[in-house]
Amino acid sequence: MVKLSEPQIEARLEQAEGWKLEDSKWIMKKYRFREFMAAIRFVDKVAVIAERLNHHPFISIDYKMVTIKITSWSAGGLTEFDFTSASEYDQVYEKTKV
Amino acid sequence: MVKLSEPQIEARLEQAEGWKLEDSKWIMKKYRFREFMAAIRFVDKVAVIAERLNHHPFISIDYKMVTIKITSWSAGGLTEFDFTSASEYDQVYEKTKV
């Protein structure tokens, strides 16, 4: 996968609600849940997607808040693949958050 | 729960293999796994314990490595409860790491 340029990243971020650029090579989003176990169920679903894509985000769980951080190590920055992963996580969140 | 003193924390840490003091109010440990999904299974077990104890650690998953950080917010520092939680996570790790 080809590393995206800064303008390309900016354009992608405009479409990716809640995602923020961090350290110019990560995209990051915080997902909030009503309870701790809902956060854990979300992480389980994220993990299945990550395995299927063979693209593993950094995940942290701070009680009812899950933070996902994505980068493409092989490209040394952000690629289209990071944004398609992000979109999959958003879709799972929409289904599981209630 | 009563906040532990520095000498008490030092004494507890000597018995808690791999646990380190961070910022004088957290204990932290990194657990390594053979594969990503084993790390996720461990997190699921940690979550069940955390719910049972009603004492939720900060958890992060960096591919095959899980970091657990524990503190007692209500005591403003570390308590005996943090070390008993830590011991439960260690026992689960011993059972699931292979």
Side-chain angles (χ1 to χ4, degrees), chain A residues 2-31:
Chain A
V2 183
K3 187 176 161 179
L4 297 174
S5 68
E6 277 188 42
Q8 285 173 321
I9 292 169
E10 289 305 320
R12 290 294 181 292
L13 280 172
E14 278 177 30
Q15 314 288 324
E17 201 191 319
W19 289 90
K20 288 176 186 167
L21 189 64
E22 198 181 88
D23 231 358
S24 71
K25 61 172 183 261
W26 294 88
I27 49 171
M28 185 266 275
K29 182 168 179 173
K30 292 182 185 295
Y31 295 95

Side-chain angles (χ1 to χ4, degrees), chain B residues 67-82:
Chain B
T67 303
I68 305 273
K69 283 174 62 173
I70 313 176
T71 192
S72 292
W73 295 109
S74 55
L78 288 162
T79 65
E80 192 60 46
F81 197 20
D82 298 315

